[in-house]
């Protein structure tokens, strides 16, 4: 057979005997049919494997996702700086392991935050106490323990403004120790300081109500005032105090020291917001008391 058409056949190697060529031929359709069947079943099995893998992965993913969502919902409930333990029941083993580590860290952080907050609270209180002490030192007179001129300048204008708004009385007095220079020159400055301390103690004992405000105005001058809705017996109280000071005898280094005070008083309803007017009137009355012979309330 010359030039046979072998396109539809699968042939073996060519063998020549004399002038003849020999082949083993199999039709392609007969050879490929089993191969097609194998490929089909292989593809079919592969598709089944893919489908099974998909559903298995979805199942596993869903189990893990549910745990993570549950974990996320638990953690969203926490407030800022709050570290609460999460119950591990109902979670997958992998998440349980994570939660156990988380709970250990949360407990440690909670202890740390509590300790830190306690330290901050204590330090803040210490600072507040120190600031209060500094404030007291800045507004009190060291020698007498009374409030100083600086605090008077802060307090009196505010109280006068309140009295003006509410149409209240301002009861105001400037007190001056008579001839204080003579005491210093005769008995010494330390004796003079003792006189100021003794006077200040008597001053606080006489004007001890919550509404009474008293100050060392400067040197041997002192101020006391309060505001009231009605007219009071302020003048009579000052007169009584003047007599107590006059009767008092201070014993210092074997010496018996007596001293007196002169007082300028203002008792009037506040008709203006100018607090300086009150001070000026009281100062003028004090000047009158000095000119009238001292040891007097004007």
């Amino acid at each position: 057979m010359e030039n046979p058409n072998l396109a539809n056949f699968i042939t073996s190697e060519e063998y020549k005997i004399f002038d003849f060529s020999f082949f083993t031929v199999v039709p392609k359709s007969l050879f490929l049919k089993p191969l097609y069947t194998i490929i089909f079943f292989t593809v079919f099995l592969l598709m089944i494997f893919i489908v099974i893998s998909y559903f298995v992965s979805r199942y596993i993913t869903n189990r893990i996702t549910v745990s993570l969502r549950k974990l996320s919902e638990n953690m969203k409930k926490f407030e800022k700086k709050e570290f609460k333990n999460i119950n591990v029941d109902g979670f997958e083993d992998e998440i349980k392991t994570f939660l156990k580590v988380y709970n250990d860290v949360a407990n440690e952080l909670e202890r740390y935050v509590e300790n830190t907050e306690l330290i901050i609270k204590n330090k803040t209180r210490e600072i507040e106490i120190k600031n209060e002490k500094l404030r007291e030192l800045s507004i009190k007179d060291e020698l007498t323990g009374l409030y100083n001129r600086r605090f008077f300048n802060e307090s009196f204008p505010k109280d006068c403004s309140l009295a003006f708004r509410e149409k209240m009385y301002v009861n105001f007095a400037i007190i001056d120790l008579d001839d204080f220079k003579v005491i210093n020159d005769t008995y010494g400055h330390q004796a003079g300081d003792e006189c100021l301390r003794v006077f200040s103690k008597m001053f606080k004992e006489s004007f001890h109500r919550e509404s009474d405000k008293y100050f060392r105005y400067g040197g041997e001058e002192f101020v006391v005032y309060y505001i009231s809705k009605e007219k009071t017996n302020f003048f009579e109280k000052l007169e009584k105090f003047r007599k107590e000071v006059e009767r008092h005898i201070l014993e210092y280094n074997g010496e018996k020291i007596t001293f007196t005070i002169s007082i300028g008083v203002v008792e009037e309803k506040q008709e203006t917001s100018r607090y300086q007017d009150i001070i000026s009137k009281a100062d003028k009355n004090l000047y009158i008391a000095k000119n009238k012979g001292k040891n007097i309330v004007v």
Side-chain angles (χ1 to χ4, degrees), residues 263-276:
I263 307 175
V265 189
V266 175
E267 295 178 277
E268 62 181 34
K269 186 175 288 188
Q270 185 70 350
E271 301 291 348
T272 173
S273 60
R274 281 181 51 83
Y275 66 90
Q276 296 93 335

Side-chain angles (χ1 to χ4, degrees), residues 142-171:
E142 184 177 0
L143 177 65
T144 62
L146 303 178
Y147 288 115
N148 58 23
R149 177 73 170 269
R150 174 183 175 181
F151 191 50
F152 170 79
N153 291 337
E154 291 179 16
S155 303
F156 190 57
K158 294 177 184 177
D159 288 332
C160 279
S161 295
L162 174 62
F164 172 66
R165 289 195 306 272
E166 302 296 329
K167 303 300 180 185
M168 299 173 72
Y169 282 86
V170 175
N171 307 278

Side-chain angles (χ1 to χ4, degrees), residues 30-66:
L30 184 63
F31 179 80
L32 293 176
K33 187 175 180 180
L35 184 61
Y36 289 149
T37 301
I38 293 171
I39 292 172
F40 173 77
F41 278 106
T42 302
V43 172
F44 178 73
L45 291 173
L46 182 61
M47 292 296 294
I48 292 175
F49 176 76
I50 291 172
V51 171
I52 293 173
S53 298
Y54 171 76
F55 283 105
V56 170
S57 64
R58 282 291 301 272
Y59 173 77
I60 295 173
T61 302
N62 188 57
R63 292 296 296 271
I64 295 174
T65 304
V66 167

Side-chain angles (χ1 to χ4, degrees), residues 141 144 146-149 173-178 180 196 199-200 203 214-224 261-262 264 279 282-283 286-287 290:
D141 177 61
T144 62
L146 303 178
Y147 288 115
N148 58 23
R149 177 73 170 269
I174 299 179
I175 305 171
D176 185 77
L177 273 66
D178 295 328
F180 187 68
L196 293 174
F199 169 81
S200 298
F203 194 25
Y214 38 80
F215 309 81
R216 185 182 182 187
Y217 196 59
E220 64 271 20
E221 280 193 338
F222 298 81
V223 162
V224 61
I261 55 176
S262 297
I279 299 173
D283 199 47
L286 177 62
Y287 182 76
K290 292 287 187 180

Side-chain angles (χ1 to χ4, degrees), residues 240-279:
K240 179 181 177 182
F241 176 60
R242 182 196 66 78
K243 291 178 180 178
E244 289 177 1
V245 173
E246 182 181 22
R247 291 193 299 267
H248 185 79
I249 299 174
L250 169 64
E251 294 188 4
Y252 183 81
N253 288 343
E255 299 285 348
K256 292 184 178 182
I257 304 173
T258 59
F259 55 91
T260 60
I261 55 176
S262 297
I263 307 175
V265 189
V266 175
E267 295 178 277
E268 62 181 34
K269 186 175 288 188
Q270 185 70 350
E271 301 291 348
T272 173
S273 60
R274 281 181 51 83
Y275 66 90
Q276 296 93 335
D277 293 344
I278 297 290
I279 299 173

